[in-house]
Amino acid sequence: MRMYNPPHPGEILSEFWLTPLSLSIHETATRLNVTDNTVVELLNGKTGISPEMALRLELAFGKSAESWLAHQAAFDLWQLESSREQLGVRRVAA
């Protein structure tokens, strides 16, 4: 069963960590050792979670890198779902 319209991982980061902990973009970027722009793009859904960023988030916030990557995969698959027919894939008979 597929999750219905999963949130972008940036929304999860904002809602469950940045907002409750009152972390600014700059402080978050400093803790993750990335640029402010990197955090802004992630929060705005302009970029996704790479394995490196997932590990950075795990080290900073304690939520496993695997879970961050799973959130990203669920979001990406949901985005592709509407173009399923356009892929032109034919099932292989068993």
Side-chain angles (χ1 to χ4, degrees):
M1 185 164 132
R2 294 212 164 133
M3 182 182 222
Y4 178 74
N5 197 12
H8 186 276
E11 290 179 57
I12 295 169
L13 178 62
S14 178
E15 184 176 334
F16 292 101
W17 279 275
L18 274 59
T19 299
L21 297 173
S22 300
L23 290 172
S24 69
I25 288 170
H26 180 72
E27 185 174 3
T28 302
T30 299
R31 290 174 180 261
L32 294 173
N33 196 27
V34 297
T35 66
D36 289 6
N37 191 55
T38 298
V39 173
V40 168
E41 288 193 349
L42 178 58
L43 294 176
N44 290 333
K46 302 287 185 198
T47 189
I49 302 279
S50 66
E52 180 181 318
M53 180 56 79
L55 185 55
R56 289 174 186 273
L57 291 168
E58 177 182 313
L59 293 169
F61 297 106
K63 183 176 164 120
S64 75
E66 291 85 357
S67 66
W68 286 108
L69 292 172
H71 286 301
Q72 186 64 55
F75 177 81
D76 291 344
L77 283 171
W78 178 260
Q79 299 302 309
L80 285 171
E81 200 56 42
S82 64
S83 61
R84 176 183 283 265
E85 300 299 322
Q86 297 163 330
L87 295 175
V89 175
R90 296 185 331 200
R91 182 176 290 278
V92 175

